[in-house]
Amino acid sequence: MRLNGRFGRFGGCYVPEILVPALEQLEAAFLDAQDDPEFIAELNRLLANYAGRPTPLTRCRNLAGNIYLKREDLLHGGAHKTNQVLGQGLLAKRMEKTRLIAETGAGQHGVATAIVGALLGFETVIYMGAEDVERQKLNVFRMQLMGAEVVPVTSGGQTLKDAINEALRDWSASFPTTHYLLGTAAGPHPFPTMVREFQRVIGREARTQIIEQLARLPDAVIACVGGGSNAIGLFADFIDDPVRLIGVEAAGKGLDSDDHGATLLRGTPGILHGAETYVLQDSDGQVTDTWSVSAGLDYPAVGPEHAHLKDSGRAQYVGATDAEALFAFKALAEKEGIICAFESAHALAHALKLAAEEPEIAILVGLSGRGDKDVAQAQALLGAGLVDEIQAKALLA
Amino acid sequence: MSRYSAMFERLSGEGAFGAFLMLGDPDLESSAALLDAVIEGGADMIEVGIPFSDPVADGSVIQAAAQRALSAGVRVADCLELIASLRRRNSQVPIGILTYANIVLARPGFIRDSAEAGADSLLIADVPALEAQPFVREMEQAGIEPVLIAAANTPDETLKRIANLSKAYTYCVSRAGITGTHAAGQFDAELIDRVKQAGAPPPIFGFGISKPEHVRAALDSGAKGVICGSAIVNLVSRRQDVASFVQSLKAVTRNDSMAE
Ligand SMILES: Cc1ncc(COP(=O)(O)O)c(C=O)c1O
């Protein structure tokens, strides 16, 4: 490896020996491509003319405080995922791979991978937990419509982490022809670094845009953290600025319950899916099941750079519960006419709290995706009264 | 002399037969009996898995075995006790642990405890030579031998690193991919030659060994032995006799050395 792939004590490349050459090849291709003006130009053309960059920065008109939304929900594909699948897709071409594999939870990354598979002409196979296949039929059909094969994974808990396991297993036999298009800034080196660089465009644009609109930097930058890709992409260009960086994890049914996905807040250091990072696990090191209303935050590990940003104190990590996220989802729809992804609603939920505490500060929120995928679930949950009226009043006051 | 060295010396050219079992599969009591059964069948070395919830290097058979053990409530401490009791029953047979990094990390003193239980080697499936150094240092202090994996795509440079870091034996994977009987191995003599040339510990082939002809092919390639995993675990899952199966594959290692 040319880079050390560490973020403080975290990160690394914990994979079976057989995959090390594949990761070395990927690192080399990535580093060479970064120095290749033609690669950069082609990626930028796709980001602009195919995916719709730059995405707008929208100041909320009606929600309290000074909240600015970085609108990744308006990107082709409906989430920030498209930024990095285009990057990795071009790299896979560069490495002359003919097949893409990917994992997906709710199906967002699967859809994004299917998009790039169709666009750039790859055979595409998506591993998806059998339970998720059942729950996300529409996204399964979207992937199939774009020519991808969806393979239900029946091992383990049949959710995202099991889909990653299965993709890694496929890759350990198929790497000569196949690129594993990992969906977030987690996993073995070079994925965390590479995905951050492909997502950096979010923060780079947002920084310029907010300076244009506000004539200064924001006071706080907030993003939701599942594996950590939209958050690290938003944070990256603000790391050296005097701004608060806040990652919001899924607090599910509460941080003190067993049903959450708050890896950084409740996990302990461990090694999962190729990286040393925080992991939700029992005292034997068995990885535990997670819960979040948003499938994209329902993951028992987290990108190693976030683990480092937490331990170094440069970023702060907090939780938002299912109910808080759902409340924010509803508030954004009612007040601003934007239906966001449940994942993004976690970031917004914390922004609303912060705006209530410190009304004068400027808050930049990564609105990582649109909520079309979540409306059916929202209808059921809101009907069931998950959003508490008192809480609603407190937050909207 | 280490138990592995003693074993290779005793075998003097005859191929070593390693039998793999998942500890605690299907439950603790049966697991202890199965360890005895594979030794009775003639296994020269025992490889034991400590179950992990997310075994990325394993195919469906061994995944299911880990799941059975975990569902039966088997804990890491139980696995170490199974090893310790096997060691009390048998002072000679080399015992190697195969597990994953998170299991090693989660229990402070895992490596020392493994050594004290009487295990001779430790292979961590998701720790490649690139990341092995800190683990190896701890194993050396505890007196347990590190085992690393070599594959057809492992460059000579890495094999040199493996030679420097590991002891006991070199786990050579017979083909790309994961454990399982879904595909037979390639038993590439070139890999064995490269491992020997790099000065790495004795090469033993694993992955995809389920039939006598696989054992023969592996030994013909120059390997010093074989490890049979999924085929044995498959029998465990069907509650079939493992001793006679081990006996039938072990017999090949004797015939093979006589033919030479
Ligand atoms: C809209 C949206 N936001 C956020 C995430 C969480 O992923 P990450 O933490 O990698 O940004 C997902 C994952 O599916 C998503 O779909």
Side-chain angles (χ1 to χ4, degrees):
Chain A
M1 294 286 179
R2 279 148 66 178
L3 304 176
N4 89 353
R6 292 271 165 185
F7 308 94
R9 67 172 283 200
F10 298 106
C13 191
Y14 295 92
V15 294
E17 191 70 60
I18 193 133
L19 279 175
V20 172
L23 291 163
E24 280 175 338
Q25 181 194 24
L26 180 59
E27 187 205 49
F30 166 64
L31 292 175
D32 293 348
Q34 282 211 309
D35 291 336
D36 177 357
E38 242 168 75
F39 179 91
I40 305 287
E42 189 177 4
L43 179 56
N44 286 339
R45 263 197 309 277
L46 284 176
L47 287 171
N49 304 336
Y50 181 75
R53 298 215 75 89
T55 58
L57 182 76
T58 303
R59 181 173 191 276
C60 291
R61 292 172 71 109
N62 304 309
L63 286 171
N66 304 294
I67 296 178
Y68 291 79
L69 306 174
K70 180 58 177 166
R71 302 290 306 280
E72 296 303 291
D73 60 315
L74 294 176
L75 198 65
H76 175 53
H80 68 290
K81 306 271 175 192
T82 308
N83 297 320
Q84 76 106 0
V85 295
L86 289 173
Q88 285 200 50
L90 290 179
L91 279 184
K93 278 268 162 232
R94 212 177 156 88
M95 293 184 288
E96 299 180 350
K97 309 276 171 172
T98 55
R99 179 172 173 266
L100 298 178
I101 55 173
E103 81 292 344
T104 197
Q108 288 308 105
H109 177 59
V111 168
T113 305
I115 286 173
V116 77
L119 180 72
L120 300 179
F122 292 101
E123 178 194 346
T124 304
V125 174
I126 309 295
Y127 288 99
M128 188 170 185
E131 287 223 355
D132 291 333
V133 169
E134 260 323 288
R135 287 191 293 207
Q136 305 286 340
K137 289 204 174 89
L138 216 53
N139 266 345
V140 171
F141 183 63
R142 284 193 181 101
M143 292 181 244
Q144 290 166 340
L145 206 52
M146 291 184 282
E149 182 194 348
V150 179
V151 179
V153 175
T154 54
S155 58
Q158 313 195 354
T159 59
L160 178 60
K161 91 174 163 67
D162 308 291
I164 296 179
N165 292 340
E166 213 48 41
L168 284 167
R169 290 180 186 122
D170 178 317
W171 204 33
S172 63
S174 65
F175 57 82
T177 60
T178 300
H179 174 60
Y180 177 18
L181 209 163
L182 190 83
T184 187
H189 175 70
F191 285 107
T193 298
M194 179 177 73
V195 173
R196 177 195 66 215
E197 289 311 305
F198 287 141
Q199 292 291 7
R200 183 185 284 275
V201 63
I202 306 172
R204 186 186 308 132
E205 283 176 11
R207 193 174 181 281
T208 307
Q209 289 166 320
I210 201 156
I211 289 172
E212 267 167 27
Q213 293 185 26
L214 190 64
R216 68 175 178 88
L217 288 167
D219 299 288
V221 175
I222 304 182
C224 66
V225 179
S229 68
N230 91 88
I232 206 70
L234 184 62
F235 291 175
D237 270 27
F238 289 100
I239 292 265
D240 297 327
D241 292 330
V243 305
R244 279 183 258 172
L245 303 177
I246 305 171
V248 186
E249 296 197 300
K253 295 174 184 163
L255 286 176
D256 297 325
S257 75
D258 285 335
D259 298 320
H260 59 72
T263 309
L264 289 161
L265 293 167
R266 287 292 180 268
T268 48
I271 291 177
L272 184 66
H273 295 146
E276 183 161 5
T277 184
Y278 280 80
V279 178
L280 288 167
Q281 55 185 323
D282 70 14
S283 60
D284 267 1
Q286 310 299 351
V287 180
T288 50
D289 286 333
T290 52
W291 166 263
S292 170
V293 70
S294 72
L297 304 184
D298 200 354
Y299 178 54
V302 64
E305 191 163 4
H306 288 292
H308 178 57
L309 289 174
K310 175 196 152 87
D311 277 16
S312 71
R314 176 62 191 94
Q316 177 196 358
Y317 294 87
V318 299
T321 63
D322 290 349
E324 288 167 337
L326 202 67
F327 168 74
F329 170 88
K330 190 160 170 271
L332 189 67
E334 280 175 9
K335 298 277 181 181
E336 305 290 338
I338 297 171
I339 295 174
C340 73
F342 277 176
E343 290 81 7
S344 323
H346 285 72
L348 184 66
H350 188 72
L352 294 177
K353 256 189 231 174
L354 201 57
E357 287 163 18
E358 302 176 62
E360 74 293 348
I361 67 170
I363 304 174
L364 169 62
V365 175
L367 207 71
S368 54
R370 69 176 181 228
D372 305 42
K373 68 184 176 63
D374 297 318
V375 286
Q377 204 186 348
Q379 188 177 29
L381 291 170
L382 290 168
L386 183 59
V387 176
D388 186 299
E389 284 302 316
I390 298 167
Q391 177 191 35
K393 285 209 188 86
L395 282 167
L396 270 188
Chain B
M1 193 191 304
S2 80
R3 290 193 185 89
Y4 284 103
S5 305
M7 174 194 73
F8 285 121
E9 202 173 280
R10 172 177 63 79
L11 290 171
S12 69
E14 175 183 317
F17 187 84
F20 171 88
L21 286 166
M22 181 62 72
L23 291 176
D25 170 34
D27 56 64
L28 290 174
E29 215 171 285
S30 318
S31 187
L34 287 161
L35 291 166
D36 292 339
V38 294
I39 293 175
E40 182 202 314
D44 301 301
M45 49 190 260
I46 309 296
E47 300 300 301
V48 291
I50 295 185
F52 177 48
S53 54
D54 295 83
V56 293
D58 286 305
S60 54
V61 171
I62 292 176
Q63 283 174 48
Q67 208 45 59
R68 281 193 296 274
L70 293 175
S71 302
V74 170
R75 305 288 309 262
V76 170
D78 300 323
C79 295
L80 293 173
E81 180 46 37
L82 276 173
I83 294 171
S85 72
L86 174 61
R87 180 51 79 218
R88 289 193 290 272
R89 297 194 297 280
N90 186 318
S91 61
Q92 307 282 306
V93 69
I95 305 172
I97 296 176
L98 268 68
T99 193
Y100 288 84
N102 204 47
I103 296 293
V104 177
L105 236 57
R107 181 187 174 96
F110 175 90
I111 289 175
R112 189 199 56 225
D113 293 348
S114 300
E116 279 173 10
D120 300 287
S121 70
L122 174 59
L123 189 168
I124 312 170
D126 52 350
V127 175
L130 179 68
E131 299 286 4
Q133 187 90 57
F135 294 92
V136 164
R137 204 170 302 132
E138 213 185 315
M139 288 186 229
E140 280 167 350
Q141 280 162 10
I144 187 167
E145 301 189 324
V147 172
L148 292 169
I149 288 193
N153 69 343
T154 306
D156 287 338
E157 199 184 318
T158 307
L159 292 179
K160 290 235 172 63
R161 211 177 146 72
I162 291 172
N164 287 330
L165 290 170
S166 68
K167 292 212 174 65
Y169 64 95
T170 303
Y171 193 123
C172 297
V173 294
S174 68
R175 53 163 170 72
I178 51 180
T179 60
T181 52
H182 55 278
Q186 314 282 318
F187 309 114
D188 170 17
E190 194 200 321
L191 171 61
I192 299 299
D193 287 344
R194 291 196 302 121
V195 166
K196 287 178 179 169
Q197 250 160 42
I204 290 193
F205 261 130
F207 283 29
I209 289 178
S210 59
K211 297 198 174 106
E213 56 262 39
H214 301 150
V215 178
R216 195 163 298 122
L219 297 180
D220 285 350
S221 73
K224 298 291 178 199
V226 295
I227 292 172
C228 174
S230 297
I232 295 175
V233 172
N234 232 335
L235 295 175
V236 173
S237 74
R238 296 199 226 114
R239 305 198 168 250
Q240 287 171 350
D241 180 19
V242 296
S244 55
F245 178 73
V246 168
Q247 201 168 16
S248 67
L249 293 195
K250 173 59 198 170
V252 180
T253 71
R254 300 198 181 100
N255 297 342
D256 203 76
S257 71
M258 277 192 294
E260 269 177 353

